[in-house]
Amino acid sequence: VSGAHVPALVIGTGYGGSVAALRLAQAGVDVHMIEMGRAWDTPGSDGKIFCNTREPDYRSYWLRTRTKAPLNYFLGFPIDRDIPRYTGILDAEEFGGITVYQGRGVGGGSLVNGGMAVTPRRENFAAVLPSVNAAEMYDVYYPRANAGLGVGLIDPAWFDTTACYQYGRVGRKHAQRSGFPFVFVPDVYDWDYMKQEAAGTVPKSALAGEILYGNNHGKKSLQQTYLARARATGRVAVSPLHRVTSVAPAGGRYAVTIEQLDDTGGVTATKTVTADRVFFAAGSVGTSKLLVKLKATGVLPHLNDEVGKGWGDNGNVMCGRANHMWDATGSLQSAIPCCGIDNWAAGGAFAEVAPLPTGIETYASFYLSITRNPHRAQFSWNAAAGRVELNWQTAWKQPSIDMAKTIFDKINAKEGTIYRTDLFGVYKIWGDHLTYHPLGGAVLGRVTDGYGRLAGYPGLYVIDGALIPGNTTVNPFVTITALAERNIEKIIATDL
Ligand code: FDA
């Protein structure tokens, strides 16, 4: 309601926002969460809340009239299709040199992601968050995050036999034959449910190609974990299809301007509420865009010059390999990855063995690599265009490609195989145009203090992936969650 006052307002309902809401509510603070995406709690006319990767419909993309699939070609043919403009679940946000994929809706990235829940190796943590006490993180906050998210590991005996991970077993064989460490990757997917999918006793989700546009079953998104617990406190309200556009000082409080959106992204109302505390949890890109704009337009002029800096893509790069006919990867592929190749120490790359859940045999092995890419980009305000821009260059992916090649050139040489050239265009090997893992833009200890308090503005906090300076060495959401757990505990103990 316009004109209302709330003790704590949280912008965004992803990992950082959900942790903040739960812990504040448990401490007795009433919380209002503002989310620009949909609630994703009501089935469409087909009886399903989410659509499938094989038939993307109006629910698939955020305000686009054509799909923009991360893997946009198959056998050299473009696979994107026209869709009606709608407040769909996956945003393919285009900047000059990179497309940044993000989840839109109550649950943020947890709605669309693969659920891979990876804690970085402890020896790598000093490079991930240099100013944070590693012992505290590994003794307290990583375990708390893993428990809160419901992280589990595939049953290795089932992995060895089930048809839906034949592609994983081919990935393991090729990794091991070239001498690379093979690792299982934990996930928030309900592994018992997936076994039942394979047995044909429950409706299929991972085994029906559901991923990217939501999972109708099996995946524990934040709606089933942190947000469910937050709502159960009775102290947390969520407003979907509401977008924050401004946060301004107002007599010791903050005035927050919010636009209400309709199904196609049109603004139907503009509201202002006041809050004692505001938590920026709009994701690395969302939080950075807000802070850069608010500083440049004089609304929050005392934010320091580090705002918008230190952004990285977590070194994401994709590729496929063409296998021999005797290394078929299977026509049934679980959409949830469960294993990878860890060559971080030797070559700066951690490669997930990813599915190609097309429903047909492709003879392809597909990989998403996370690499130690050193490049960092900066967000800035373009006053003439009235928007925030990011100066990432496509050529900055070259170090990532070189690091991924430390794995796949060797495997190809050993197996006598070649790269697929038909997955990202016509004769294009590397998927170097995107990231799933935006990180940074409001880096911990630079834009904020050591716990996410925005310098110059008491009561304003950053509590999402914007705090992390560009790379987590593995998939990021466990680290985002654990850091949020650490920071909110301190904030509740000292600021409230
Ligand atoms: P997050 O992006 O989750 O949430 C921010 C929320 O704020 C969004 O819901 C957004 O709509 C909302 N918002 C933004 N601006 C707003 C505004 N102005 N007003 C109101 N609301 C606003 N990670 C991982 O660890 N394992 C994995 O397997 C994967 N896989 C994966 C696949 C795909 C396709 C994607 C796109 C991403 C992943 N990720 C992943 C990445 C992971 O999902 C991501 O790192 C986290 O969701 C980031 O969490 P945050 O809390 O920072 O923001």
Side-chain angles (χ1 to χ4, degrees):
V1 182
S2 204
H5 176 76
V6 291
L9 185 138
V10 177
I11 309 171
T13 56
Y15 294 91
S18 297
V19 170
L22 172 63
R23 301 307 177 196
L24 288 165
Q26 287 176 332
V29 181
D30 288 331
V31 180
H32 196 150
M33 305 182 84
I34 309 295
E35 169 56 54
M36 70 194 244
R38 308 187 69 82
W40 299 109
D41 58 1
T42 312
S45 57
D46 60 355
K48 293 183 174 164
I49 293 177
F50 304 112
C51 70
N52 196 292
T53 45
R54 291 170 199 157
E55 290 289 325
D57 63 21
Y58 66 101
R59 291 167 288 197
S60 57
Y61 283 87
W62 177 255
L63 306 182
R64 276 185 175 273
T65 52
R66 195 164 168 78
T67 63
K68 194 171 172 65
L71 219 105
N72 50 343
Y73 277 77
F74 191 65
L75 301 172
F77 292 101
I79 58 170
D80 283 316
R81 56 161 81 181
D82 291 340
I83 46 168
R85 181 183 161 93
Y86 188 73
T87 41
I89 200 163
L90 185 62
D91 193 355
E93 189 168 1
E94 290 176 86
F95 292 99
I98 194 164
T99 301
V100 183
Y101 284 87
Q102 297 152 89
R104 294 282 173 249
V106 175
S110 79
L111 295 166
V112 298
N113 68 32
M116 283 176 279
V118 195
T119 300
R121 286 176 172 276
R122 185 158 175 173
E123 62 265 32
N124 296 332
F125 184 77
V128 175
L129 284 163
S131 63
V132 173
N133 180 328
E136 270 182 18
M137 288 294 281
Y138 284 83
D139 293 347
V140 180
Y141 302 110
Y142 274 118
R144 189 176 294 173
N146 277 290
L149 294 165
V151 176
L153 205 59
I154 190 169
D155 169 1
W158 189 62
F159 174 82
D160 280 340
T161 53
T162 181
C164 68
Y165 283 115
Q166 188 177 332
Y167 75 95
R169 295 193 294 275
V170 169
R172 174 174 66 184
K173 182 174 81 176
H174 291 172
Q176 291 179 338
R177 281 163 54 99
S178 285
F180 291 115
F182 168 87
V183 290
F184 284 113
V185 175
D187 204 280
V188 298
Y189 203 87
D190 182 335
W191 292 107
D192 287 332
Y193 189 88
M194 202 190 296
K195 280 185 180 175
Q196 293 169 28
E197 291 180 51
T201 55
V202 295
K204 289 184 172 56
S205 182
L207 269 52
E210 287 185 356
I211 185 82
L212 280 182
Y213 311 134
N215 284 82
N216 286 297
H217 312 279
K219 195 169 82 181
K220 287 169 275 179
S221 76
L222 290 166
Q223 291 190 352
Q224 282 85 36
T225 58
Y226 275 94
L227 285 171
R229 291 169 67 199
R231 285 183 201 262
T233 65
R235 290 192 177 276
V236 178
V238 183
S239 292
L241 290 174
H242 281 72
R243 176 171 57 205
V244 171
T245 57
S246 179
V247 178
R253 295 171 164 177
Y254 293 93
V256 182
T257 309
I258 304 167
E259 293 175 342
Q260 184 169 3
L261 306 180
D262 64 19
D263 287 347
T264 57
V267 176
T268 56
T270 302
K271 309 170 183 180
T272 304
V273 301
T274 58
D276 298 326
R277 297 170 200 286
V278 177
F279 291 82
F280 288 81
S284 160
V285 174
T287 291
S288 301
K289 285 199 307 190
L290 275 171
L291 293 178
V292 163
K293 182 181 89 171
L294 295 175
K295 176 175 167 59
T297 55
V299 179
L300 296 175
H302 305 310
L303 292 175
N304 70 33
D305 289 337
E306 292 291 320
V307 168
K309 295 182 182 169
W311 186 88
D313 69 338
N314 210 23
N316 281 189
V317 67
M318 295 176 176
C319 68
R321 294 179 38 255
N323 290 318
H324 297 294
M325 300 291 270
W326 57 82
D327 276 335
T329 47
S331 56
L332 173 66
Q333 301 197 1
S334 170
I336 298 296
C338 73
C339 57
I341 303 166
D342 186 353
N343 196 39
W344 192 266
F350 174 81
E352 267 129 26
V353 179
L356 278 174
T358 55
I360 57 168
E361 177 57 54
T362 62
Y363 298 99
S365 285
F366 183 57
Y367 306 91
L368 167 63
S369 297
I370 294 162
T371 65
R372 192 162 42 211
N373 189 310
H375 289 294
R376 294 295 177 267
Q378 181 178 351
F379 292 95
S380 59
W381 177 244
N382 179 335
R387 66 163 182 261
V388 175
E389 294 174 348
L390 179 67
N391 69 350
W392 180 271
Q393 311 290 309
T394 308
W396 290 0
K397 287 280 194 185
Q398 192 58 46
S400 294
I401 294 172
D402 294 342
M403 290 168 190
K405 279 161 72 83
T406 66
I407 298 176
F408 304 115
D409 279 4
K410 189 169 175 190
I411 291 180
N412 277 338
K414 175 78 183 172
E415 302 299 327
T417 51
I418 57 170
Y419 289 101
R420 289 287 286 238
T421 57
D422 61 329
L423 299 174
F424 300 104
V426 179
Y427 211 82
K428 181 163 165 44
I429 292 175
W430 298 97
D432 59 356
H433 57 300
L434 61 81
T435 186
Y436 286 169
H437 300 165
L439 293 166
V443 171
L444 188 77
R446 292 191 223 155
V447 173
T448 72
D449 74 351
Y451 291 89
R453 301 178 183 97
L454 271 167
Y457 293 98
L460 294 190
Y461 307 87
V462 175
I463 192 152
D464 59 16
L467 292 171
I468 298 176
N471 200 304
T472 52
T473 74
V474 292
N475 318 62
F477 76 62
V478 176
T479 297
I480 294 170
T481 305
L483 184 65
E485 289 279 20
R486 166 191 178 270
N487 292 354
I488 199 71
E489 187 174 87
K490 178 66 114 196
I491 290 162
I492 288 170
T494 56
D495 296 13
L496 297 183

